[in-house]
Amino acid sequence: MHKPVLALAALSLAVPAAANITPVPPTLEEAADRAHSSDRYAWDFVEGITTEVGPRQAGTEAEKRGRDWAVQWLKAQGFRNVADEPFEMQTWVPGELHKAEILSPFAQPLVVQPLGGTASTGPEGITAEVVYFRTVDELRAAPDGSLTGKIAYISHSMTRTQDGSQYGFAGPARWVGSGIAAQKGAVATVIKSVGTDYHRNPHTGGAGFPDGVAPTPAGALSLPDAANLERMFARAKGKPVVMKLTLTPQLLGTTTSGNVVGEIVGRDPSLPPVLVACHIDSWWNGTGAFDDGAGCGIVAAAAKHVSHSGQPLRTIRVLMAGAEEVGLFGSVAYSAAHIDEPIAVGLESDFGADRIWKFESNFRDSNPALHAKIASTVARFGVSNGTAVATGGADINIARDQKTAIIDLQQDGTRYFDLHHTPDDTLDKIDPVQLRQNVAVWTQVVGILANEPGPILPKE
Amino acid sequence: MHKPVLALAALSLAVPAAANITPVPPTLEEAADRAHSSDRYAWDFVEGITTEVGPRQAGTEAEKRGRDWAVQWLKAQGFRNVADEPFEMQTWVPGELHKAEILSPFAQPLVVQPLGGTASTGPEGITAEVVYFRTVDELRAAPDGSLTGKIAYISHSMTRTQDGSQYGFAGPARWVGSGIAAQKGAVATVIKSVGTDYHRNPHTGGAGFPDGVAPTPAGALSLPDAANLERMFARAKGKPVVMKLTLTPQLLGTTTSGNVVGEIVGRDPSLPPVLVACHIDSWWNGTGAFDDGAGCGIVAAAAKHVSHSGQPLRTIRVLMAGAEEVGLFGSVAYSAAHIDEPIAVGLESDFGADRIWKFESNFRDSNPALHAKIASTVARFGVSNGTAVATGGADINIARDQKTAIIDLQQDGTRYFDLHHTPDDTLDKIDPVQLRQNVAVWTQVVGILANEPGPILPKE
């Protein structure tokens, strides 16, 4: 019983003049600066959901626990109109057995995890010769039928980039590789993880198959395992490399997911709201800290800090979308359900928790005064004024569908693909200082948008 | 058929004057400098054994394949008296199921691997409340019987150190933790991995149980998982934290391991040889690159480079010990078998592949001229003259048993415990430049020792 009393005593000593100051709401700039120095909402959100829920595979009971947790958290922080808006989806789960073994010429196990949407080998596994493709283009060039009965292995050469652009360069190995291999007769596919780290943690993610092509088993080798397999090919000197692959994902059929929403209600709710988005689901193998617990923490924290500077003119609506990872199902469902409710602008945080370094909008030309105002106010946080046209992220389909204003607050992605879709996506990867910089920039930007009386993207 | 001809043609163009030069053996200093700039033996060894064999758990057929591979490699490089000297051992293997799940209050899976020598939970697992100890000393202070029916969780706070000394500080959590917990009634133990990284890769290693205390199941959580469990305790606010732990290691009984040996035979084989050692086995979860494929590559490469400068006076004997990880069985067996064959000096490489920064001997006072000579010749590689008395590593029991000269070539251990005993111990972690610096220093030191006519450690 004594400890709380002592803690309160210590607190009152630490701020002795508090009782004599009449509280004055901070200005928006002050609110953003306070977020920069001492935000605790974003960390509390991402620590809480990763610790108390952990992995949140789309469509499963774990994602449901994540949505329930987020609903409770938003309510506890005073958000209004908090809801979990359900939608149905086809749900894939990874199953229990994830094994790859080289049987010859050099027997040893490799670390593998299945790709989202792929088929099961059955618990008995598949044993076949591996055919090595250095790039997706090499695979594309293979004759039809040339992979019959074989396992395709697809490599790539991805490096770290601040803007994350090499995801587009290397991603096709996962996005389309197993589909192309299946068309050419492959019984299964393994890929070099689409990532930039050096740890025994595979990068999963969705794999697509063309219409009419039945999904095959497909998995990602960790980067050290992929390098080892490639060395085996070099040392095998033409002898066949034979792998036993065991992956047992399952399709659960139709289950329910949902989009969690909550609002800071504006002074004029008739004005279109500012939509700030993230996604609540994660892959099963990590705890969804960088992707995207942090993003949800950032956007919700920013909404709170804006409210500290006084009730905003427009409503700020937080959307924590369900089932992003497996096909943007939540974003699609949200847009379908709310397409007739205009929003003013959409922004998303879904690229980790490292510092924001560039601001981009799609109204630089059509609303230059507002664009310049935002750019000048975030400059103090090290954010430059970008010239590219913002296109938004996965969770704000509605902004593209409604052709509204969009802002991209570009985060430093240098280490994002070290962690993306891996077991290593855990809380310890988040730098609290950089997380707070995100909250500060978001507070400044969302606060300006939510107090903007005129249209943000003037109709053409 | 054309490519080899073209390659030879290219080679002859690249060294056009080669035919006109009479080969002169390099001096020892030149041999060490060549190793520094262009050694390929050490990399070839560690790349080869990690690619063509991979994990080499002591006492298993995988370790046997590793020893066979090393025997072939040593013969191919021209070593003499190459042999695999067998010994028997009690063999533990990790089994297939390695799972930890928190069931309440916050359900989520944690990443765990079993500790060497520990018991099986059976495939059905053990479900019990977890009791949290921040240190081994806190566990020691728990009353006898207080852990009956519980799972003990033991933490520690280890940081990176260049000399690796915090292994001694944090290691007891693994070395004695599960034994103490078992004495107090615990049904199982999980520890925070004894390591310094932030990846979902547990650090295994041997666990000891006191005489008369039956081994219990025990596993290491990865560091992110341990941090998550500790946050769960903080957020549980006194509610019991319940874990289901499933670990199924097995005892195979008596199997055969062996010590691989090979020699650069000296001009005077009657002189006691220079013994250079490493270990050939690894834990099952990595490919044994840092621990200790690199060490075997370094010592064998150094012996080769010394021979390039002319046949040494003394024989250089390479010992690649079996079954080091599980109890130094190979080192003990080697000393027992060879105790009556005096060696002149023992040195071991078993601390990764990062640069050597300090030279230590146990003859600084008794043979100061030789100590100073070695120190002065390795200074050009950035190696300082240490004042501590060298005690040698795990694989040179014979040097301690015979009370011979010992040298320690201290490697930079800053990142060693990021990788030690984890799945992440793979080839990609080795920096070729630092590996070559090791080979250069070893070449210089072993070359001096192998050409020293007098006793290295004068008898007192």
Side-chain angles (χ1 to χ4, degrees):
Chain A
M1 288 296 287
H2 285 145
K3 280 181 180 169
V5 173
L6 286 170
L8 281 173
L11 188 66
S12 69
L13 286 170
V15 284
N20 301 326
I21 295 174
T22 305
V24 175
T27 65
L28 177 61
E29 295 223 341
E30 287 167 346
D33 288 341
R34 287 182 191 183
H36 198 221
S37 62
S38 56
D39 170 66
R40 62 166 196 81
Y41 295 111
W43 185 270
D44 183 65
F45 185 94
V46 66
E47 178 190 320
I49 200 164
T50 57
T51 305
E52 299 192 4
V53 182
R56 304 175 295 282
Q57 179 72 30
T60 70
E61 64 78 32
E63 191 203 36
K64 174 67 162 62
R65 284 188 284 114
R67 298 198 310 276
D68 290 349
W69 190 96
V71 163
Q72 291 308 312
W73 189 91
L74 287 167
K75 287 181 176 174
Q77 305 305 333
F79 282 79
R80 303 291 298 275
N81 305 321
V82 176
D84 180 5
E85 301 179 349
F87 58 87
E88 294 196 332
M89 61 176 283
Q90 299 300 309
T91 293
W92 173 98
V93 290
E96 287 284 318
L97 296 175
H98 304 161
K99 297 174 71 172
E101 283 176 90
I102 300 301
L103 302 184
S104 66
F106 308 126
Q108 68 169 289
L110 303 178
V111 178
V112 70
Q113 290 190 348
L115 300 180
T118 61
S120 175
T121 62
E124 69 286 357
I126 287 174
T127 298
E129 183 182 346
V130 182
V131 182
Y132 173 16
F133 298 99
R134 289 176 298 178
T135 63
V136 169
D137 279 347
E138 281 193 3
L139 171 66
R140 285 196 178 97
D144 285 349
S146 62
L147 294 178
T148 302
K150 306 288 176 66
I151 295 173
Y153 167 69
I154 310 165
S155 189
H156 60 80
S157 188
M158 180 178 182
T159 56
R160 293 186 179 97
T161 49
Q162 187 171 14
D163 66 1
S165 57
Q166 282 225 345
Y167 188 44
F169 168 69
R174 190 188 84 224
W175 304 333
V176 300
S178 53
I180 296 169
Q183 280 180 310
K184 294 177 188 290
V187 290
T189 297
V190 288
I191 66 167
K192 179 179 177 180
S193 280
V194 176
T196 51
D197 64 299
Y198 300 93
H199 300 286
R200 298 295 284 288
N201 286 314
H203 295 240
T204 189
F209 291 82
D211 287 344
V213 176
T216 57
L221 298 174
S222 84
L223 290 142
D225 288 281
N228 203 356
L229 178 59
E230 294 179 18
R231 286 191 298 270
M232 287 183 196
F233 274 97
R235 286 176 169 260
K237 298 187 170 71
K239 276 180 282 187
V241 174
V242 178
M243 175 184 285
K244 180 177 180 186
L245 182 68
T246 312
L247 297 167
T248 57
Q250 290 177 275
L251 295 171
L252 299 187
T254 303
T255 69
T256 301
S257 180
N259 290 315
V260 173
V261 294
E263 294 182 339
I264 301 293
V265 176
R267 299 194 304 278
D268 184 353
S270 75
L271 285 173
V274 175
L275 183 73
V276 296
C278 61
H279 67 85
I280 198 76
D281 66 309
S282 76
W283 290 100
W284 80 92
N285 58 0
T287 64
F290 239 51
D291 187 12
D292 184 30
C296 290
I298 290 164
V299 304
K304 279 293 293 178
H305 287 288
V306 170
S307 75
H308 291 170
S309 67
Q311 187 181 18
L313 176 64
R314 295 175 190 265
T315 292
I316 304 168
R317 177 163 246 228
V318 172
L319 164 61
M320 300 181 174
E324 186 265 0
E325 296 290 5
V326 293
L328 321 189
F329 296 153
S331 183
V332 170
Y334 185 84
S335 185
H338 297 277
I339 192 69
D340 296 328
E341 305 159 26
I343 64 168
V345 57
L347 310 78
E348 174 190 280
S349 178
D350 183 16
F351 200 49
D354 284 345
R355 59 184 301 115
I356 294 169
W357 63 288
K358 193 164 62 171
F359 154 66
E360 293 165 352
S361 81
N362 67 348
F363 51 84
R364 183 185 173 97
D365 293 333
S366 57
N367 195 347
L370 181 61
H371 180 98
K373 177 180 178 183
I374 293 171
S376 71
T377 56
V378 295
R380 74 187 190 280
F381 300 118
V383 181
S384 61
N385 184 350
T387 55
V389 176
T391 55
D395 301 310
I396 55 171
N397 269 9
I398 192 167
R400 286 180 293 271
D401 293 344
Q402 292 184 353
K403 302 191 193 318
T404 69
I406 292 173
I407 285 173
D408 288 337
L409 297 172
Q410 302 288 9
Q411 293 168 286
D412 186 337
T414 306
R415 65 186 184 122
Y416 187 70
F417 291 103
D418 288 2
L419 305 170
H420 182 242
H421 297 184
T422 74
D424 259 347
D425 183 358
T426 50
L427 182 68
D428 50 294
K429 306 311 180 302
I430 296 180
D431 172 357
V433 173
Q434 295 194 70
L435 182 70
R436 292 200 304 268
Q437 188 260 10
N438 274 266
V439 177
V441 173
W442 273 78
T443 298
Q444 182 70 57
V445 173
V446 172
I448 291 172
L449 296 170
N451 288 292
E452 178 68 18
I456 293 167
L457 179 69
K459 290 297 171 196
E460 299 168 57
Chain B
M1 289 296 287
H2 285 145
K3 278 182 182 169
V5 174
L6 286 169
L8 281 172
L11 189 65
S12 69
L13 286 169
V15 285
N20 300 325
I21 295 174
T22 305
V24 175
T27 64
L28 176 62
E29 294 223 344
E30 288 168 347
D33 287 341
R34 287 182 191 183
H36 197 220
S37 63
S38 57
D39 171 66
R40 63 166 193 82
Y41 296 111
W43 185 271
D44 184 65
F45 185 95
V46 66
E47 178 191 320
I49 199 165
T50 56
T51 304
E52 299 192 4
V53 182
R56 305 175 295 282
Q57 179 71 29
T60 69
E61 65 77 35
E63 191 202 37
K64 174 67 162 62
R65 284 188 285 114
R67 296 198 311 277
D68 290 348
W69 190 96
V71 162
Q72 292 307 313
W73 189 91
L74 288 167
K75 287 181 176 173
Q77 305 306 332
F79 283 79
R80 305 290 298 276
N81 305 321
V82 176
D84 181 4
E85 302 180 347
F87 59 87
E88 294 196 331
M89 61 176 284
Q90 298 301 307
T91 293
W92 173 99
V93 290
E96 287 285 317
L97 297 175
H98 304 163
K99 297 174 69 172
E101 282 178 273
I102 300 300
L103 302 184
S104 67
F106 308 126
Q108 68 169 291
L110 303 178
V111 178
V112 71
Q113 290 190 349
L115 300 181
T118 61
S120 174
T121 62
E124 68 286 357
I126 286 174
T127 298
E129 183 182 346
V130 182
V131 182
Y132 174 16
F133 298 99
R134 289 176 299 179
T135 63
V136 169
D137 279 347
E138 280 194 3
L139 170 64
R140 285 196 177 98
D144 286 349
S146 63
L147 294 178
T148 302
K150 306 288 177 65
I151 295 173
Y153 167 69
I154 311 167
S155 189
H156 60 79
S157 187
M158 181 178 181
T159 56
R160 293 186 179 96
T161 49
Q162 188 172 12
D163 66 1
S165 57
Q166 283 225 345
Y167 189 44
F169 167 69
R174 192 189 82 223
W175 304 335
V176 300
S178 52
I180 296 169
Q183 280 180 310
K184 295 177 188 291
V187 291
T189 298
V190 288
I191 65 167
K192 179 180 177 178
S193 279
V194 176
T196 52
D197 64 297
Y198 299 93
H199 301 287
R200 298 294 285 287
N201 285 316
H203 296 241
T204 189
F209 291 82
D211 287 343
V213 176
T216 57
L221 298 173
S222 84
L223 289 141
D225 288 280
N228 203 355
L229 178 59
E230 295 180 17
R231 286 191 296 270
M232 288 183 195
F233 274 98
R235 286 176 169 260
K237 299 189 170 71
K239 276 181 280 187
V241 174
V242 178
M243 175 184 284
K244 180 178 179 185
L245 182 68
T246 311
L247 297 167
T248 57
Q250 290 177 275
L251 295 172
L252 299 188
T254 304
T255 70
T256 301
S257 180
N259 289 317
V260 173
V261 295
E263 293 181 339
I264 301 294
V265 176
R267 301 195 303 278
D268 184 353
S270 73
L271 286 172
V274 175
L275 182 74
V276 297
C278 61
H279 66 86
I280 198 74
D281 65 309
S282 76
W283 289 101
W284 81 91
N285 58 359
T287 65
F290 240 50
D291 186 12
D292 183 28
C296 289
I298 290 164
V299 304
K304 279 295 292 178
H305 287 287
V306 170
S307 74
H308 290 170
S309 68
Q311 187 182 18
L313 176 65
R314 297 176 189 265
T315 292
I316 304 168
R317 178 164 245 228
V318 173
L319 163 61
M320 300 181 173
E324 186 265 359
E325 295 290 6
V326 294
L328 322 188
F329 296 153
S331 184
V332 170
Y334 185 83
S335 185
H338 297 276
I339 192 69
D340 295 329
E341 304 160 26
I343 64 168
V345 57
L347 310 77
E348 173 189 281
S349 178
D350 183 16
F351 199 50
D354 283 344
R355 58 185 300 115
I356 295 170
W357 63 290
K358 193 164 63 172
F359 156 64
E360 292 165 351
S361 80
N362 66 348
F363 51 84
R364 183 185 173 96
D365 294 333
S366 57
N367 195 347
L370 182 61
H371 181 99
K373 177 181 177 182
I374 294 171
S376 72
T377 57
V378 296
R380 73 188 191 281
F381 299 119
V383 180
S384 60
N385 183 351
T387 54
V389 176
T391 54
D395 300 311
I396 53 170
N397 268 10
I398 192 168
R400 286 181 293 272
D401 293 344
Q402 292 185 352
K403 301 192 193 319
T404 69
I406 292 173
I407 284 173
D408 288 337
L409 297 171
Q410 301 289 9
Q411 293 168 286
D412 187 337
T414 307
R415 65 186 185 123
Y416 187 71
F417 292 103
D418 288 2
L419 306 170
H420 182 244
H421 297 183
T422 73
D424 258 347
D425 183 358
T426 50
L427 182 68
D428 50 292
K429 306 311 180 302
I430 295 180
D431 171 359
V433 174
Q434 295 194 69
L435 181 70
R436 290 201 304 269
Q437 188 261 10
N438 274 266
V439 177
V441 173
W442 272 79
T443 298
Q444 183 69 57
V445 173
V446 172
I448 290 173
L449 296 170
N451 287 292
E452 178 68 18
I456 293 167
L457 179 68
K459 291 297 171 197
E460 298 167 58

